[in-house]
Amino acid sequence: MAAARALLRLLLPPLLLLVLPGPAGAVWPQPQAQHSPPGGGRCPLPPGQFRFAAADGSAVGPGCDVLDSAFQRYRALLFARPTENEPPWGTPCTQLLVYVAMPGCDGFPNLDSKESYKLIVSKGSMLLSAEAIWGVLRGLETFSQLVGRDENGTYYINETEIVDFPRFPHRGLLLDTSRHYLPLRAILETLDVMAYNKFNVFHWHIVDDPSFPYESSTFPELSKKGAFNAMTHVYTASDVRAVIDYARLRGIRVIPEFDTPGHTLSWGPGAPGLLTPCYVVQEPSGTYGPINPILNSTYEFVTSLFQEVSSVFPDFFLHLGGDEVDFTCWRSNPKIQAFMKEMDFGDDYKKLESLYIQRLLEIVSSLGKGYIVWQEVFDNDVVVRPDTIIHVWKENLLTPYKEEMANVTRAGYHALLSAPWYLNRISYGQDWMEAYRVEPLDFRGSPEQKALVIGGEACMWGEYVDVTNLTPRLWPRAGAVAERLWSNSTVRNMDDAYARLSEFRCTLLGRGVQAQPLYVGYCENEFGEV
Ligand SMILES: *[C@@H]1O[C@H](CO)[C@@H](O)[C@H](O)[C@H]1NC(C)=O
Ligand SMILES: *[C@@H]1O[C@H](CO)[C@@H](O)[C@H](O)[C@H]1NC(C)=O
Ligand SMILES: *[C@@H]1O[C@H](CO)[C@@H](O)[C@H](O)[C@H]1NC(C)=O
Ligand SMILES: *[C@@H]1O[C@H](CO)[C@@H](O)[C@H](O)[C@H]1NC(C)=O
Ligand SMILES: *[C@@H]1O[C@H](CO)[C@@H](O)[C@H](O)[C@H]1NC(C)=O
């Protein structure tokens, strides 16, 4: 035993030898302001009597599917464990009144959605008020994390007052369903945990080189020939609809990414003539490169595909990719060489790439959509609309992301940060801390520039991730990004974050999420126990 402990000492950094679970009733991500009266009271929540109800004058009430389904979900989450029938002490809190100022329930959340809320628990009354239904969702999550159980198993909540709102409006998570297919169920479960973390954007990197699982109604051959398995490893129209609806009920936007002109090998078999044939000496080699940018047929194809995508996905924004275009194949192709000469592009294949992206952006604009692109599009001086969002992902010595954030915002574009948040990368120890320490606005720039940063995204690329390890690799590590994007920038204390994140992870286990441990310790209820 002592030997084991000594060995443990050797293996683990002496940092943070906390083994106790964190404080009950701590909220992750931390609210903007919370006031709990010293020596304040608390009230029991008897599951049999407890209900959610619309407050007088609320602009939205029963019949709003977003609220009704949230009440159902949170009732199940709140009272998952067995309890006494009658609370043995105190005047019970029997209802949470919900007040919404702005009418509206039918739409989808968007970049401007109001997520702020206020929660007051005092002397037997509980009120959750919000500008819009999306704020109610965030407030319900907070409420659920405040509820504890006393030593006899009675549910209760402490008196408190919370005023809360997100620091950034775009708080995303990227999942890659091309390198490995993720079953629909895994995506839906991830959306649940995103909502627990107050994430509000699901960036669906749906297709890429390895496979094309999106079933297109316009071009059914794409998935027939490009999916790993056209019967089992595809997202049908009804699957996609299910993801969008499930996300909406949780206040999460779905932004699909159809990355071009690179990252498109899986498109080739189902779209003859779309990809560039590569040559060796003067002969086609039988392999293919990026989308062929010199053919009119390419733009006809792209127009039809994005017409479909624009109508399937309701969000204003599409992610158009534009990263990592390999020029080797374009360079080898005699027709492309001739085109380069004709256009006077010299040997600058970035100009050819720009020509393609330029036309793509015009097509997507004309469909009434906005777009997000990876940083290369900006780096290569492609002319983009002023409201374009540039997604910063590169993190190396030559292209430090802070400098890129400065450059992008100096040029007046909106920026989205992912470079330090590639959570598919793992290392021994508490690597959530590195993600947590990031400060998105820590770059050289004016206040106007900082105001152009709309948020960030945690990325889970799929090379080494499928349904077996997705959940433990994501959670609670992505929670570090969630808090960085939601809470005040001054919320940075590592010991406090460690205690709250450990506790939050225990909450996730209680909700059936296989979240991995941060470090040594235990949860009152381990995974699989009720
Ligand atoms: C309620 O407050 C007490 C006293 O501050 C604290 O010990 C306890 O952990 C709190 N419980 C919850 C669920 O917030
Ligand atoms: C728990 O139950 C015991 C035995 O009935 C009682 O003495 C104790 O006060 C209860 N604790 C609370 C917090 O109600
Ligand atoms: C491509 O389209 C342009 C403009 O519509 C037209 O001028 C050109 O002839 C077309 N090229 C081919 C090869 O069809
Ligand atoms: C930012 O812009 C400067 C000036 O144009 C340039 O020298 C630098 O390489 C850019 N940084 C990045 C990361 O692209
Ligand atoms: C963030 O916290 C600081 C320090 O407590 C405070 O001065 C500031 O007003 C807070 N920011 C917001 C947006 O509430």
Side-chain angles (χ1 to χ4, degrees), residues 95-122:
Q95 63 179 0
L96 177 65
L97 289 172
V98 174
Y99 175 87
V100 186
M102 287 180 352
C105 177
D106 298 337
F108 289 87
N110 60 53
L111 186 59
D112 301 317
S113 290
K114 301 278 182 277
E115 297 178 278
S116 59
Y117 67 91
K118 190 172 168 184
L119 177 64
I120 300 174
V121 179
S122 75

Side-chain angles (χ1 to χ4, degrees), residues 219-230:
F219 301 107
E221 296 298 304
L222 287 172
S223 63
K224 275 207 186 107
K225 297 191 170 145
F228 288 134
N229 181 314

Side-chain angles (χ1 to χ4, degrees), residues 167 401 417 420-421 433-440 484 492:
R167 181 177 173 208
Y401 76 84
L417 182 63
W421 289 328
M433 290 183 169
E434 218 179 305
Y436 190 78
R437 284 197 188 99
V438 170
E439 169 43 56
R484 184 54 55 233
R492 307 190 62 81

Side-chain angles (χ1 to χ4, degrees), residues 42 88-89 150-152 154:
R42 53 183 189 164
W89 51 267
D150 73 9
E151 71 220 45
N152 296 335
T154 301

